[in-house]
């Protein structure tokens, strides 16, 4: 038996065993107990987060009943309130969960630092949960939600939409077929964040708007005065329509977000996590510090992080690189032009750029250029923002996993896809709905998304400290850095403490 066939059988068996219920659709006992015998029944959903990105998530759940909202910012949530005008409205998610007894499932589309508290409260009440990426801000929280999902046996999904894209699954299948040999490096790259970072000072405090519960927005984070930014801030940063902390720029602050690693890195490295079965890393290191050191935010840009993973069953050790320098990776001796796909040639990947929400721009928000396959949905330059380095060649993926191809483009032009090994997604939110109603677990359920988030956000910690950090996943600590260990678990404000699942 050839190594390629052996590899295909190995992955097919281990990936899908235990994922598809033996009894078929609707056969999971813990979910049947909740009353969902038919996939045609409508669930009642309570949405935590009513504006911005929440509108996209909820828009894909129109087959269900949106019965209640909880949003600390009623100005931001106004559009959602208007669209689902019969839904009850709250500012405190705890009140919504306590009073709206009909809720079956909860969506969590709010700043990262609040994900854990809301998701855990919902799961403890027996509610299914959908949480936008990254699942959590810290590795300790990621482990907590992984364990909670296993204990409470509810259907879960992280909102890394690329996991549902056709091209992501095709990329995994190509790698498992042995086409590019043993993968020893992955390079993923992006430009600088679009939100402000590297700030040295904070603007003066302002009165809190009547529409905002600022204390509840802060939640477990240390208290700080509210501000929307001053004239100096608005002069320096053109995108001030996103405010200072909210509704969007919180992503760059240490206390609230994980910068580009959690915003885009977790999208772009999804194909790598799936195809290479990465698990926990042996170490993580910030090879290059970003520009503009700040006590409040991540640097402005220029960061390079490396994770090293041990050998995994029949896969060799692999180094995974993430950078926000804007520099693209190209194989030695190969030009960017040679890397690109040749228009009109090569396998046509279903959903790429076709706007049907099955892997194209509408599913994950990618900016495609239309068409099926070819260059649809691919970024500028080589067409790829993640490159896999194998012993027999190269493979690239783009966006959130919207595009895939062998490198150079001439190799892709003559390639035939291997047999399918993975089930296909009906769409990322619909995948979760199916799981809620007794179908197979969603593709990025917390048993997958938790460990994935855990290793990804270790990179955000590495960006704050010096040196190579050695990771012990069993003890959940770095064995050689007390400084780095300070960031593994949040420091909860009094009244917001949560404990590990026991």
């Amino acid at each position: 038996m050839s190594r390629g066939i052996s590899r295909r059988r190995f992955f097919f068996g281990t990936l899908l065993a235990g994922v598809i219920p033996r009894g078929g659709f609707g056969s999971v006992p813990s979910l049947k107990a909740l009353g969902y015998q038919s996939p045609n029944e409508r669930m009642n959903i309570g949405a935590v987060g009513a504006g911005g990105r929440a509108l996209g998530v909820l828009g894909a759940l129109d087959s269900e009943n949106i019965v209640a909202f909880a949003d600390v910012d009623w100005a931001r949530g106004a559009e959602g309130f208007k669209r689902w005008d019969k839904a009850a409205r709250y500012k405190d998610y705890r009140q919504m969960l306590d009073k709206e007894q009909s809720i079956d499932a909860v969506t969590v589309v709010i700043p990262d630092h609040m994900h854990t508290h809301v998701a855990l409260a919902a799961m403890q009440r027996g509610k299914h949960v959908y949480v936008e990426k990254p699942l959590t801000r810290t590795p300790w929280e990621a482990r907590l939600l992984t364990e909670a999902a296993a204990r409470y046996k509810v259907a879960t999904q992280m909102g890394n939409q690329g996991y549902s894209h056709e091209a992501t699954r095709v990329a995994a299948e190509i790698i498992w077929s042995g086409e590019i040999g043993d993968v020893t490096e992955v390079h993923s790259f992006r430009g600088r964040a679009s939100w402000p970072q590297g700030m040295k000072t904070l603007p003066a405090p302002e009165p809190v708007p009547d529409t905002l519960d600022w204390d509840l927005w802060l939640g477990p984070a240390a208290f700080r005065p509210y501000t929307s930014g001053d004239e100096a801030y608005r002069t320096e940063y053109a995108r001030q329509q996103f405010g200072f902390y909210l509704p969007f720029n919180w992503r760059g602050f240490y206390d609230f977000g994980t910068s580009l690693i959690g915003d885009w890195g977790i999208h772009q490295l999804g194909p790598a996590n799936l195809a290479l079965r990465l698990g926990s890393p042996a170490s993580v290191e910030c090879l290059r510090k970003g520009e503009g050191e700040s006590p409040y935010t991540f640097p402005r840009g220029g960061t390079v992080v490396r994770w090293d993973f041990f050998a995994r069953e029949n896969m060799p050790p692999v180094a995974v690189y993430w950078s926000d320098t804007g520099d693209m990776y190209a194989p030695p001796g190969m030009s960017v032009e040679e890397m690109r796909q040749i228009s009109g040639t090569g396998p046509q990947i279903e959903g790429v750029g076709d706007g049907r929400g099955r892997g194209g721009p509408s599913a994950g928000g990618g900016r495609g250029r239309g068409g099926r396959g070819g260059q649809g949905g691919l970024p500028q330059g080589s067409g790829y923002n993640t490159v896999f380095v194998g012993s027999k060649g190269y493979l690239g993926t783009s966006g959130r996993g919207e595009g895939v191809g062998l490198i150079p483009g001439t190799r892709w032009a003559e390639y035939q896809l291997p047999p399918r090994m993975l089930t296909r997604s009906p769409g990322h939110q619909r995948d979760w709905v199916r799981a809620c109603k007794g179908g197979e677990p969603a593709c990025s359920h917390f048993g997958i998304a938790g460990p994935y988030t855990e290793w990804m956000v270790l990179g955000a910690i590495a960006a704050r400290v010096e040196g190579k950090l050695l990771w012990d996943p069993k003890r959940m600590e770095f064995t050689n850095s007390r400084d780095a260990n300070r960031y593994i678990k949040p420091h909860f404000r009094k009244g917001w403490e949560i404990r590990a699942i026991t």
Side-chain angles (χ1 to χ4, degrees):
M1 183 181 296
S2 73
R3 187 176 184 184
I5 296 296
S6 161
R7 177 174 295 171
R8 283 203 298 271
R9 290 188 176 178
F10 166 78
F11 277 112
F12 184 85
T14 56
L15 272 176
L16 299 186
V19 173
I20 301 176
R22 290 180 179 271
F25 188 86
S27 67
V28 181
S30 63
L31 298 179
K32 287 179 66 177
L34 296 176
Y36 290 106
Q37 301 292 336
S38 169
N40 297 319
E41 295 179 28
R42 293 168 68 92
M43 289 193 303
N44 291 334
I45 293 177
V48 183
R53 173 63 190 147
L55 298 173
V57 171
L58 296 173
L61 296 172
D62 268 352
S63 61
E64 313 307 312
N65 301 321
I66 312 302
V67 300
F69 283 107
D71 199 313
V72 300
D73 185 353
W74 280 24
R76 178 71 164 172
E79 187 175 349
F81 297 158
K82 181 179 179 180
R83 181 170 175 180
W84 292 277
D85 59 354
K86 292 182 174 58
R89 305 174 190 176
Y90 300 86
K91 284 191 174 178
D92 193 325
Y93 70 92
R94 295 166 295 191
Q95 293 180 3
M96 182 190 78
L97 291 173
D98 287 342
K99 294 183 179 180
E100 301 295 327
Q101 297 298 313
S102 71
I103 289 175
D104 302 304
V106 175
T107 57
V108 184
V109 190
I110 53 178
D112 299 352
H113 72 288
M114 285 295 296
H115 286 183
T116 301
H117 284 74
V118 179
L120 183 60
M123 287 191 286
Q124 288 173 332
R125 291 167 171 81
K127 315 301 183 185
H128 309 298
V129 289
Y130 180 104
V131 181
E132 264 299 274
K133 56 78 198 166
L135 184 62
T136 62
R137 189 180 68 85
T138 66
W140 183 88
E141 293 172 287
R143 183 74 61 89
L144 178 77
L145 291 190
T146 302
E147 294 171 350
R151 175 173 180 174
Y152 297 114
K153 297 181 177 13
V154 294
T156 58
Q157 179 86 305
M158 178 172 74
N160 56 326
Q161 294 77 20
Y163 247 65
S164 287
H165 289 351
E166 177 72 9
T168 292
R169 297 172 189 220
V170 169
E173 289 163 348
I174 292 173
I175 290 171
W176 298 339
S177 76
E179 180 65 26
I180 66 169
D182 291 325
V183 176
T184 55
E185 293 181 11
V186 180
H187 297 264
S188 194
F189 38 89
R190 196 163 188 86
R192 295 187 178 193
S194 60
W195 52 84
Q197 295 187 168
M199 287 177 281
K200 304 294 186 183
T201 60
L202 300 178
E206 298 176 25
V208 179
D210 293 339
T211 55
L212 172 67
D213 188 326
W214 175 241
D215 188 71
L216 189 52
W217 188 92
L218 288 172
F223 181 82
R224 64 179 71 197
Y226 170 81
T227 181
S228 64
D230 54 19
E231 190 59 35
Y233 168 75
R234 285 185 283 272
T235 298
E236 184 174 357
Y237 300 106
R239 294 181 65 113
Q240 39 84 16
Q241 69 266 30
F242 290 131
F244 189 77
Y245 295 117
L246 69 157
F248 185 75
N249 289 343
W250 51 266
R251 287 194 177 279
F253 287 84
Y254 292 133
D255 287 353
F256 309 130
T258 48
S259 191
L260 277 170
I261 286 175
D263 184 48
W264 268 101
I266 206 159
H267 274 315
Q268 293 181 199
L269 285 168
N273 189 65
L274 172 63
L276 303 180
R277 300 168 62 84
L278 290 175
S280 294
S283 64
V284 60
E285 182 178 8
C286 186
L287 301 177
R288 175 176 165 182
K289 296 292 184 182
E291 303 170 9
E293 187 176 354
S294 164
Y296 312 109
T297 70
F298 289 87
R300 287 192 295 273
T303 302
V304 179
V305 174
R306 170 176 170 157
W307 296 264
D308 281 285
F309 293 84
F310 293 115
R312 288 125 12 255
E313 301 186 47
N314 69 337
M315 290 185 176
V318 62
V320 177
Y321 297 84
W322 162 261
S323 71
D324 61 7
T325 64
D327 298 326
M328 294 188 297
Y329 174 86
M334 190 180 301
S335 69
V336 170
E337 290 74 18
E338 290 173 316
M339 293 175 67
R340 294 176 188 148
Q341 292 182 14
I342 301 170
S343 181
T345 68
Q348 303 299 293
I349 307 301
E350 181 182 4
V352 176
D354 69 2
R356 292 181 297 165
R358 297 188 60 194
S362 64
R367 295 177 176 84
R369 295 202 298 263
R372 296 184 63 190
Q375 290 288 336
L378 300 183
Q380 297 294 324
S382 68
Y384 305 109
N385 54 21
T386 301
V387 175
F388 295 74
V389 179
S391 58
K392 295 165 53 180
Y394 303 88
L395 178 141
T397 57
S398 64
R400 301 166 176 85
E402 285 97 336
V404 61
L406 293 173
I407 299 171
T410 53
R411 186 171 178 181
W412 182 247
E414 301 173 352
Y415 183 63
Q416 292 185 351
L417 295 178
R420 289 187 174 186
M421 305 173 205
L422 293 169
T423 56
R424 265 39 187 181
S425 173
H428 204 61
Q429 286 87 346
R430 293 192 294 275
D431 186 31
W432 173 62
V433 168
R434 180 174 61 183
C436 293
K437 296 180 180 181
E440 61 183 272
C443 64
S444 194
H445 65 81
F446 290 2
I448 294 171
Y452 178 29
T453 300
E454 186 177 310
W455 76 254
M456 280 293 307
V457 298
L458 292 177
I461 295 176
R464 304 183 67 174
V465 298
E466 298 292 335
K468 185 175 185 178
L469 305 175
L470 305 180
W471 179 242
D472 182 340
K474 291 185 178 180
R475 298 172 63 183
M476 281 214 76
E477 67 178 22
F478 296 109
T479 60
N480 63 335
S481 177
R482 290 185 178 180
D483 189 24
N485 284 333
R486 296 186 297 134
Y487 304 121
I488 291 173
K489 177 181 178 181
H491 298 280
F492 296 121
R493 191 156 56 117
K494 186 176 181 180
W496 288 90
E497 300 87 355
I498 52 176
R499 297 178 181 175
I501 301 298
T502 58

